[in-house]
Every structure is written in C-alpha cells, then in structure tokens.
Amino acid sequence: MNLIENIKICLMVALLTVSLAGTAMAQSTSAEDTGQKGVSVYDSESYGKDKSDKPKPNRIALKTNLLYDAVLVPNVGIEVNLGKRWTVGLDWLYTWFKNDSRHRYWQGYGGYLGVRKYFGKQANGQRSTVNGQRSTVNGQRSTVNGQCSPFPTGHHLGVYMTGVTYDVEWGGKGYQAAKFGFGGGIEYGYSKRIGKRLDLDFSLGVGFQDGEYKEYEPADDDSGHYVWLATKKRHWWGPTKAEVTLKWILGPARKKKGGRK
C-alpha cells in the first residue's frame, strides 16, 4: 500500500468521525431544548414508551436488624434490587460473649438468605416532577431532584432459609448446638421510607427449624468442667424470624435536567 492510498484512508476515517460527532451534538442539543420547555413527567406508561427517561433504581441496600442489636447480637445484611420489584437479601449475625467464672455464655453465628416480592405502585419506583417541584406517588413523597432513585418499599412477601449455631448459658443449664441447624419459611412485611437514603422494614416469618443440641450444666466442684445431660433433636414449627430493620440505600444521587415536552 503506497503513501497516496494511506492518505485516502485517513481522510475517509476523519470525515466519518466528524459526521458521527456532528450527529451526536445535534441530538444532544435537541434533547436539551426539549427539556427546557417545562414539564417532566415520569409514570408507568412513559417508562414503557421511552427507556431513556426511566430513572435507574439503586441496586444495593445495607441493613441491620435492630432487634438483634438490642440483645447484643451484632448483625449486618445486604439487599440487592433485581428489578421488577424483586430483591434478594443475605443477613449474617455473630456474637461471642462469655464469662467462664460466672458461667455466662452468649455465643452464636449464622444467617438468612431470602427472596422478596414488593407490591403496589409505590414499589414500582415511579417518579414525577412538575416544574422542578416534588410530587407524591400513592401518598408517598417521591425521590427527585438529586435524591437517590427509588428502592422497593411497601408491602412485601418472601421466602427464606436459615442456618445457625449457638451456645447459650446463663449461670445454670446450658444449650449448645455445635453443628448448624437449618430451616426455612415464608415472611410478610412492610418497608417505609423514613429518609433520603433510609428505610425502616418490619417483617415476621413463620416456618420450621431443625437441628441437634446438647443440654449441659456446670460441675459442682468448681473445676470449670461441664456435665453433659442429654442430646436432643429440635423440630420446631412456628415463628422463626422477626425484623425491625434499618436499611441504608447505596448509590449516587441522580438529577434530571429535563424530559418529555
């Protein structure tokens, strides 16, 4: 390939690049002009018609169950927004307090894995702005003008699995599950937006919990040893989960400058 052919190819690439850049600038200018003319409305119908106007939802929330925190069981969880009002969550708890001389043991660790489905218009993540003013969707203040995009809230149903091990004694008979006990169930709850990036979630789950545990008590000779009493099986049906959970929604705040005329 000689020098003249190389120059021709370079010129053709340059002309194509200029043409594409000009088209992109024209489209950007047109969008800005449209956005400056007044009303920007986002609802479930406009989402289906124009994907570019749909605000992307925040995908992740960190959380902690305040009920566990209140009884000195530190815990942390994560909930991931899968879209279409579905989320998946993982919670982990861990506590390891003990006082050998007083025979006090408050130890355990385990977690929950669950899937939730949120219901109602509020859970759709709808958002609307009119002349830059906040509006309401289903009685709830929408998250607009630089606030974070919606994370699912409202009523929800879900299923979950559990796995936990523990050693609990309070000066007398103790109970130790040296191996993980597993269970599962269904849950119902309600999540409410209480701040720009904070939700408060209430939920209750019922199901089953299986596992093996040992009963023991301290020896009478102050040797520090323990006397094994029995090994038992637990087959529990009933409440297996309770939450008053504080969720912190992660993700950048987004601000819309304009929209559909």
Side-chain angles (χ1 to χ4, degrees):
M1 186 178 293
N2 56 35
L3 179 60
I4 295 177
E5 291 178 346
N6 286 332
I7 294 174
K8 288 181 179 180
I9 293 174
C10 292
L11 289 174
M12 291 176 62
V13 172
L15 289 173
L16 181 59
T17 303
V18 171
S19 177
L20 292 175
T23 303
M25 292 178 63
Q27 291 177 349
S28 176
T29 303
S30 176
E32 290 179 358
D33 292 341
T34 302
Q36 293 173 354
K37 291 184 178 178
V39 180
S40 172
V41 177
Y42 298 86
D43 55 24
S44 58
E45 294 181 358
S46 65
Y47 288 166
K49 296 177 182 178
D50 191 347
K51 298 294 185 180
S52 63
D53 284 344
K54 182 178 180 180
K56 295 181 180 179
N58 293 91
R59 295 296 183 185
I60 298 176
L62 296 181
K63 57 183 182 176
T64 183
N65 188 343
L66 301 179
L67 297 181
Y68 283 143
D69 294 329
V71 294
L72 302 180
V73 181
N75 65 99
V76 66
I78 183 171
E79 188 171 0
V80 180
N81 182 5
L82 302 177
K84 297 184 182 297
R85 296 173 287 180
W86 287 94
T87 67
V88 60
L90 177 64
D91 301 271
W92 182 256
L93 58 91
Y94 183 93
T95 184
W96 209 257
F97 299 106
K98 67 176 182 177
N99 187 321
D100 292 321
S101 61
R102 301 180 62 185
H103 302 292
R104 300 280 196 265
Y105 291 90
W106 186 243
Q107 302 175 342
Y109 57 90
Y112 295 85
L113 174 65
V115 177
R116 286 178 175 177
K117 171 70 171 181
Y118 289 79
F119 298 91
K121 292 182 179 179
Q122 185 182 353
N124 280 326
Q126 294 186 3
R127 183 175 84 165
S128 63
T129 59
V130 179
N131 293 329
Q133 300 297 319
R134 289 174 180 163
S135 64
T136 60
V137 178
N138 198 28
Q140 300 292 328
R141 190 175 70 181
S142 58
T143 55
V144 299
N145 290 339
Q147 298 186 26
C148 61
S149 300
F151 196 86
T153 54
H155 298 277
H156 57 78
L157 292 174
V159 295
Y160 61 91
M161 297 176 58
T162 69
V164 65
T165 180
Y166 56 86
D167 186 1
V168 178
E169 182 197 1
W170 208 249
K173 183 182 291 186
Y175 305 89
Q176 182 188 65
K179 299 179 180 179
F180 268 92
F182 295 95
I186 59 175
E187 66 170 355
Y188 165 78
Y190 182 81
S191 184
K192 180 177 178 59
R193 181 65 40 81
I194 61 173
K196 184 184 297 186
R197 293 183 177 272
L198 293 177
D199 288 357
L200 191 62
D201 187 278
F202 304 87
S203 62
L204 179 66
V206 294
F208 70 95
Q209 184 73 40
D210 283 353
E212 181 181 278
Y213 67 96
K214 298 178 180 179
E215 292 184 352
Y216 64 89
E217 63 182 15
D220 295 332
D221 56 5
D222 294 329
S223 63
H225 297 144
Y226 292 87
V227 178
W228 167 76
L229 300 177
T231 298
K232 296 183 178 181
K233 298 283 188 178
R234 172 172 284 116
H235 303 288
W236 166 261
W237 288 88
T240 57
K241 183 180 183 182
E243 287 190 15
V244 178
T245 299
L246 185 65
K247 294 195 290 190
W248 177 38
I249 302 168
L250 303 180
R254 299 176 177 87
K255 187 174 181 178
K256 283 284 185 179
K257 295 184 178 180
R260 182 177 290 102
K261 179 179 179 181

